[in-house]
Amino acid sequence: MDFKDNLAHFLSQSDGVGQTLFALLAAMSIASWYFIIVKAWQGAMMRRCSAQFLKTFWDTASLDEIARYLNQHAPNEPFAYLTWHAITAAQHHAIHGAQRLHEAGSAADFLTRSMRRAIDEETARLEWGLTALASIASTAPFVGLFGTVWGVYHALLGIGQGGAATLDQIAGPVGEALIMTGLGLAVAIPAVLAYNACARANRLVLARLDAYAHDLFSFLTTGAPMGAQPAAMPTAAVVPGGV
């Protein structure tokens, strides 16, 4: 029997509850792999674009050139997006000053709030899909376990009604019920691994973004010219004041 025949036989032995649980696990698996593939593709594209932008940033002679570069190339990754927001906020405050409540305070305060808001937005984008992966990883084993319990219950019910308990009567139904446990684990394990990998990658990106925000804040508030890129970029610094 091939896979289609085995699957058809398995579904034919299940009742409505078992088939519903199987369909639920199949939907969870499809959703999980969708997020895994999309997150992996987005992460690869973001790393490539971020490396390109940071090279351009550190090789540029002034912030004015960076501003012109961002006007020509729409920011499509966290570092460029933060830079664009920071430069725009600094220019806005320099021209208009504190005319509204959200612009109140010094230029440094306004820049700090703008950069923090940009980092929060990027954090939300990076966390897209993680809630679904965590939910699937935590619930899929229990859905499979419930399917197993339900199948064993029906197997024992059939044995009780038939009045006999031979191995042939037990092995088939119980084996098919245990398949649900395997399906639950098959759905949950990739989701767990993907969630952990994405969470770690996000922590690294946000740590680098915070360190970069510290440097950018210094450039915008002191007006110091941009130097060459350091030999080793800091990866775990946290910007004072929450930037």
Side-chain angles (χ1 to χ4, degrees), residues 108 111-112 115 212-222 239 243:
L111 180 59
T112 298
M115 295 179 72
Y212 172 77
H214 188 286
D215 294 334
L216 182 61
F217 180 83
S218 299
F219 288 137
L220 291 171
T221 53
T222 64
V239 178
V243 178

Side-chain angles (χ1 to χ4, degrees), residues 125-218:
R125 289 192 186 96
L126 290 173
E127 292 179 350
W128 174 83
L130 293 187
T131 301
L133 286 175
S135 300
I136 292 172
S138 60
T139 59
F142 295 101
V143 174
L145 181 61
F146 180 74
T148 299
V149 173
W150 188 260
V152 171
Y153 163 73
H154 276 281
L156 296 176
L157 187 63
I159 293 173
Q161 292 176 348
T166 63
L167 183 61
D168 293 340
Q169 291 178 320
I170 297 176
V174 172
E176 292 169 357
L178 291 175
I179 291 176
M180 296 297 291
T181 299
L183 291 176
L185 294 176
V187 173
I189 290 174
V192 170
L193 296 177
Y195 175 85
N196 291 335
C198 290
R200 180 181 182 276
N202 289 351
R203 287 195 301 270
L204 295 177
V205 170
L206 292 175
R208 293 184 62 211
L209 193 62
D210 278 341
Y212 172 77
H214 188 286
D215 294 334
L216 182 61
F217 180 83
S218 299

Side-chain angles (χ1 to χ4, degrees), residues 7-233:
L7 180 62
H9 177 71
F10 169 74
L11 294 177
S12 65
Q13 298 298 315
S14 301
D15 59 358
V17 175
Q19 294 173 359
T20 300
L21 293 174
F22 178 83
L24 179 60
L25 287 174
M28 294 170 73
S29 179
I30 293 172
S32 175
W33 281 105
Y34 168 78
F35 286 115
I36 291 172
I37 293 173
V38 171
K39 294 289 288 184
W41 180 79
Q42 288 180 342
M45 294 296 295
M46 183 189 68
R47 287 190 295 270
R48 188 184 72 175
C49 293
S50 295
Q52 180 180 357
F53 172 77
L54 289 175
K55 183 179 185 303
T56 301
F57 180 87
W58 292 112
D59 289 341
T60 303
S62 68
L63 287 174
D64 291 335
E65 291 187 22
I66 286 294
R68 288 193 293 270
Y69 174 84
L70 290 174
N71 288 331
Q72 297 172 358
H73 304 82
N76 58 353
E77 49 82 29
F79 296 90
Y81 185 76
L82 175 63
T83 305
W84 180 79
H85 261 278
I87 293 177
T88 301
Q91 293 174 345
H92 177 84
H93 197 278
I95 295 173
H96 301 286
Q99 298 179 354
R100 291 175 290 183
L101 287 177
H102 79 276
E103 299 165 354
S106 65
D109 293 335
F110 180 63
L111 180 59
T112 298
R113 292 196 300 270
S114 298
M115 295 179 72
R116 173 45 57 191
R117 185 165 57 249
I119 292 177
D120 289 342
E121 291 174 359
E122 285 302 320
T123 301
R125 289 192 186 96
L126 290 173
E127 292 179 350
W128 174 83
L130 293 187
T131 301
L133 286 175
S135 300
I136 292 172
S138 60
T139 59
F142 295 101
V143 174
L145 181 61
F146 180 74
T148 299
V149 173
W150 188 260
V152 171
Y153 163 73
H154 276 281
L156 296 176
L157 187 63
I159 293 173
Q161 292 176 348
T166 63
L167 183 61
D168 293 340
Q169 291 178 320
I170 297 176
V174 172
E176 292 169 357
L178 291 175
I179 291 176
M180 296 297 291
T181 299
L183 291 176
L185 294 176
V187 173
I189 290 174
V192 170
L193 296 177
Y195 175 85
N196 291 335
C198 290
R200 180 181 182 276
N202 289 351
R203 287 195 301 270
L204 295 177
V205 170
L206 292 175
R208 293 184 62 211
L209 193 62
D210 278 341
Y212 172 77
H214 188 286
D215 294 334
L216 182 61
F217 180 83
S218 299
F219 288 137
L220 291 171
T221 53
T222 64
M226 245 184 245
Q229 183 177 4
M233 288 286 294

